[in-house]
């Protein structure tokens, strides 16, 4: 297998892809013969590229470099400088790939990873076709991995998907949503469908509401150029959070076949009640961080970050009340929130079961019992817990909420594989389960469009503010508290 990384000298390659491939190599799960060829505009020798990769792995790999393993891994790394403009743009890449594949005894099965800005997706796949890099489906393997963002609205997503579809057939296309590669996210299906206790409760009869929080402590960092055009709804909700929602809410698939699972996830997206017009103002809160403190250290406001327009109305926080109009979830609100510069990095899904009846232990309305809550901690401290009520030992009936708690770290030891490890391995194996199909990407865009349209109409009107280091604006609290519920601190 040859893995060709367009954008091979970029940030994603350095931070995620090369460390992931190195860890797969250490685990001995990569194909025995492999070449990893970085492609970028800026020329680099193979040795420079190996040094670049080593620095990335040293800094970002979950496991330290081990000299012997590194040597063999580094020998499989190559770099080719190429542009995607011009008739013969990829000719030097083709010539080099032929030599590398010949020398390493590879048969030309290839994966093309587009770790490049979305404006380059279409020109790059067109060049792949022009250079005859994409054999007919019955020939050698040719797969393409596409990073997010896939467009910035429904229309641009369709344009990108159309351009890809002109060159690759849908089963050859692997659209990354790296949240689907996280261990804990995959475990949602195992938890739901490999245990008899939870699934009978996952419906409107027993569930009061569901919360999904994806909180980040980091600000916009060096990505203002991208983020200014995106904002939290496009950056996190359209993809990651809707996929988490789909995993929690989907019907049991009849098999583990990739398309069966993807069909079920899509059904959830299609069942989302549209939020349009004035309903957006009532059900969606958007906000931007101002100056504040993170862990006691002063942090600038969003508009003071480098690369951000002083009058920017880009949202860095969004909270939504969402309904799924299907039989299972009718009447169960899903509260979703995400933001940058919140107090800590923590992602969690919590399923809040209905209260017990107001008799016996729950008879005292001034001291209501905590409801049963199932929390799925996605990161950090991966695991899940069940909050239940227990009697405090002693002669009186005193009730105290306790937790049945599972931690990946203490149960399985070691560090869980990074999302990109699992995802790269799946592409090598040809398993598309954890990837976004075209219809799902477009269904998600279709659902967020009326929200984006309403915001475009209102401009700054309705954009709330929160100090960096706090849990979002008061409007975000009010969104859930007006229904008699509260956000659960992750
Ligand atoms: C990316 C977003 O997709 O996900 C970033 O573009 C965000 O803005 C990141 O920080 C969060 O990923 P993780 O794995 O760190 O939770």
């Amino acid at each position: 297998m040859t893995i060709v990384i367009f954008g091979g000298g970029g940030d994603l390659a350095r931070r995620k892809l090369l460390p992931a491939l190195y860890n797969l190599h250490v685990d001995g799960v990569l194909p025995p013969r492999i070449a990893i060829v970085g492609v970028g505009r800026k020329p680099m020798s193979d040795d420079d590229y190996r040094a670049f990769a080593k620095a990335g792995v040293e800094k970002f790999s979950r496991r330290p470099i081990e000299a012997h393993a590194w040597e063999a891994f580094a020998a499989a790394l190559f770099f080719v400088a190429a542009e995607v403009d011009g008739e013969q743009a990829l000719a030097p890449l083709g010539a080099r790939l032929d030599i590398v594949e010949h020398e390493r005894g590879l048969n030309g099965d290839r994966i093309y990873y587009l770790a490049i800005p979305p404006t380059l997706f279409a020109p790059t796949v067109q060049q792949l076709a022009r250079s005859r890099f994409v054999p007919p489906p019955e020939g050698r393997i040719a797969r393409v991995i596409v990073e997010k963002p896939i467009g910035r609205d429904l229309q641009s997503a369709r344009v990108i998907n159309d351009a890809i579809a002109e060159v690759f057939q849908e089963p050859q296309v692997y659209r990354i949503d790296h949240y689907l590669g996280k261990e804990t996210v995959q475990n949602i299906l195992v938890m739901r469908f490999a245990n008899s206790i939870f699934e009978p409760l996952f419906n409107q009869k027993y569930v009061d509401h569901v919360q999904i929080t994806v909180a980040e402590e980091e600000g916009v960092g060096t990505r203002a150029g991208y983020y200014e055009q995106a904002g939290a709804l496009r950056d996190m909700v359209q993809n990651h959070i809707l996929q988490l929602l789909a995993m929690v809410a989907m019907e049991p698939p009849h098999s583990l076949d990739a398309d069966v699972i993807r069909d079920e996830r899509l059904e959830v997206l299609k069942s989302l009640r549209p939020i349009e017009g004035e309903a957006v103002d009532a059900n969606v809160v958007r906000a931007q961080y101002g100056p504040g403190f993170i862990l006691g250290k002063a942090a600038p406001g969003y508009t003071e970050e480098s690369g951000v327009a002083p009058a920017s109305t880009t949202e860095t926080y969004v909270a939504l009340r969402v309904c799924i109009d299907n039989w299972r979830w009718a009447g169960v609100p899903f509260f979703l929130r995400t933001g940058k510069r919140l107090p800590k990095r923590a992602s969690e899904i919590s399923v809040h079961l209905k209260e017990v009846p107001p008799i016996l232990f729950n008879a005292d309305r001034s001291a209501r019992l905590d409801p049963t809550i199932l929390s799925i901690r996605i990161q950090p401290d991966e695991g899940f817990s069940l909050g239940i009520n227990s009697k405090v030992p002693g002669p009186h009936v005193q009730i105290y909420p306790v937790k049945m708690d599972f931690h990946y770290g203490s149960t399985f030891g070691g560090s869980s594989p990074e999302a990109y490890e699992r995802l790269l391995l799946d592409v090598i194996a040809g398993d598309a389960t954890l990837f976004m199909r075209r219809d799902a990407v477009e269904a998600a865009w279709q659902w967020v469009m009326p929200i984006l349209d309403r915001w475009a109409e209102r401009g700054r009107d309705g954009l709330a503010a929160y100090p960096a280091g706090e849990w979002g604006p008061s409007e975000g609290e009010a969104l859930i508290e007006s229904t008699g519920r509260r956000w659960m601190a992750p």
Side-chain angles (χ1 to χ4, degrees):
M1 184 71 82
T2 306
I3 303 180
V4 182
I5 307 176
F6 289 92
D11 215 40
L12 186 74
R14 185 173 70 100
R15 285 167 173 267
K16 299 284 185 192
L17 308 183
L18 293 164
L21 288 164
Y22 172 70
N23 278 288
L24 293 174
H25 167 75
V26 171
D27 288 335
V29 292
L30 287 179
R33 278 174 300 169
I34 192 162
I36 299 163
V37 182
V39 183
R41 280 207 201 129
K42 231 173 68 196
M44 252 196 262
S45 68
D46 291 341
D47 282 342
D48 288 346
Y49 194 51
R50 289 165 188 160
F52 165 86
K54 193 170 186 189
V57 174
E58 270 165 353
K59 189 147 181 218
F60 298 106
S61 161
R62 71 188 165 91
R63 284 189 293 221
I65 288 199
E66 195 242 296
H68 188 64
W70 176 258
E71 217 176 284
F73 180 72
L77 295 177
F78 304 89
F79 190 84
V80 179
E83 300 270 349
V84 288
D85 312 326
E87 274 297 303
Q88 292 298 312
L90 295 187
L93 174 63
R96 188 74 200 285
L97 285 175
D98 286 344
I99 297 171
V100 167
E101 285 170 342
H102 177 73
E103 282 175 358
R104 294 186 68 82
L106 300 168
N107 66 358
D109 285 346
R110 290 182 192 162
I111 292 171
Y112 301 103
Y113 200 125
L114 307 188
I116 47 180
T119 45
L120 295 177
F121 290 168
T124 306
V125 291
Q126 281 150 11
Q127 286 292 0
L128 290 176
R130 193 171 302 154
S131 311
R132 299 181 196 284
F133 280 14
V134 187
E138 66 279 7
R140 296 184 316 260
I141 291 174
R143 301 182 179 134
V144 65
I145 307 181
V146 190
E147 264 295 332
K148 72 175 268 264
I150 300 182
R152 64 183 304 278
D153 52 24
L154 179 58
Q155 200 203 347
S156 52
R158 281 188 178 141
V159 169
I160 291 174
N161 282 333
D162 281 344
I164 294 170
E166 273 180 28
V167 178
F168 291 94
Q169 303 204 353
E170 183 61 28
Q172 297 175 288
V173 185
Y174 293 75
R175 295 178 193 80
I176 293 252
D177 184 315
H178 78 279
Y179 266 60
L180 290 175
K182 290 183 190 274
E183 270 297 330
T184 31
V185 176
Q186 295 165 49
N187 200 24
I188 295 173
L189 293 195
V190 176
M191 195 194 73
R192 287 187 59 194
F193 305 128
N195 295 293
S196 54
I197 181 171
F198 303 116
E199 196 46 27
L201 305 176
F202 265 54
N203 59 57
Q204 42 85 13
K205 269 197 209 141
Y206 300 102
V207 175
D208 175 74
H209 76 284
V210 178
Q211 298 185 13
I212 302 181
T213 293
V214 178
E216 294 186 276
E217 191 182 309
E218 293 284 313
V220 68
T222 53
R223 299 169 69 224
Y226 152 74
Y227 200 82
E228 273 284 87
Q229 299 302 311
L233 190 73
R234 289 186 173 95
D235 186 45
M236 297 296 287
V237 178
Q238 186 271 342
N239 35 67
H240 307 323
I241 293 191
L242 289 185
Q243 286 306 309
L244 294 181
L245 175 75
M247 291 291 246
V248 185
M250 68 189 252
E251 295 300 317
H254 72 261
S255 83
L256 291 177
D257 181 78
D259 274 327
V260 174
I261 294 182
R262 299 198 294 178
D263 285 346
E264 294 300 349
R265 291 206 303 257
L266 176 65
E267 276 304 306
V268 176
L269 299 178
K270 286 192 189 158
S271 313
L272 288 173
R273 184 183 301 169
I275 307 180
E276 295 169 338
E278 284 178 8
V280 174
D281 312 343
N283 292 288
V284 189
V285 172
R286 64 183 162 131
Q288 193 182 71
Y289 63 81
F293 291 88
I294 295 271
L295 295 173
K297 254 181 74 189
Y302 178 70
T303 53
E304 297 155 39
E305 304 268 18
S306 112
V308 173
S312 170
T313 56
T314 300
E315 81 287 356
T316 59
Y317 169 99
V318 55
L320 308 95
R321 179 172 48 215
V322 170
C323 296
I324 301 176
D325 284 336
N326 65 15
W327 194 266
R328 180 188 285 266
W329 295 114
V332 179
F334 283 69
F335 294 95
L336 320 176
R337 66 174 169 167
T338 183
K340 294 210 182 280
R341 284 282 189 239
L342 299 185
K344 60 176 182 179
R345 176 172 185 258
S347 300
E348 187 163 314
I349 301 173
S350 54
V351 180
H352 298 241
L353 298 186
K354 287 189 173 160
E355 268 195 295
V356 292
I359 50 171
L360 302 177
F361 304 115
N362 205 22
D364 180 357
R365 301 312 286 155
S366 64
R368 286 156 67 176
L369 291 177
D370 283 1
T372 308
I373 300 173
L374 173 68
S375 305
I376 303 164
R377 292 187 305 276
I378 291 164
Q379 60 190 26
D381 186 21
E382 294 93 339
F384 55 81
S385 67
L386 192 63
I388 51 176
N389 290 310
S390 172
K391 181 180 169 301
V392 178
H396 304 294
V397 178
Q398 197 190 341
I399 293 178
Y400 190 76
V402 296
K403 270 188 181 170
M404 295 168 73
D405 212 351
F406 153 66
H407 296 258
Y408 272 75
S410 51
T411 305
F412 296 119
S415 54
S416 294
E418 287 272 338
Y420 278 95
E421 293 175 39
R422 170 63 194 260
L423 295 173
L424 281 161
L425 204 53
D426 281 1
V427 183
I428 293 169
D431 181 350
T433 311
L434 300 176
F435 295 83
M436 303 283 296
R437 222 167 44 191
R438 173 178 188 157
D439 48 10
V441 171
E442 292 179 10
W445 274 121
Q446 188 149 5
W447 185 78
V448 301
M449 283 321 294
I451 304 175
L452 291 170
D453 291 345
R454 176 72 178 173
W455 289 353
E457 223 174 271
R458 295 192 71 201
R460 176 165 294 280
D461 238 13
L463 176 70
Y466 61 101
E470 294 197 6
W471 280 109
S474 56
E475 289 84 344
E477 304 297 316
L479 180 79
I480 186 164
E481 285 173 13
S482 61
T483 71
R485 303 168 174 103
R486 301 184 58 194
W487 289 114
M488 210 174 90

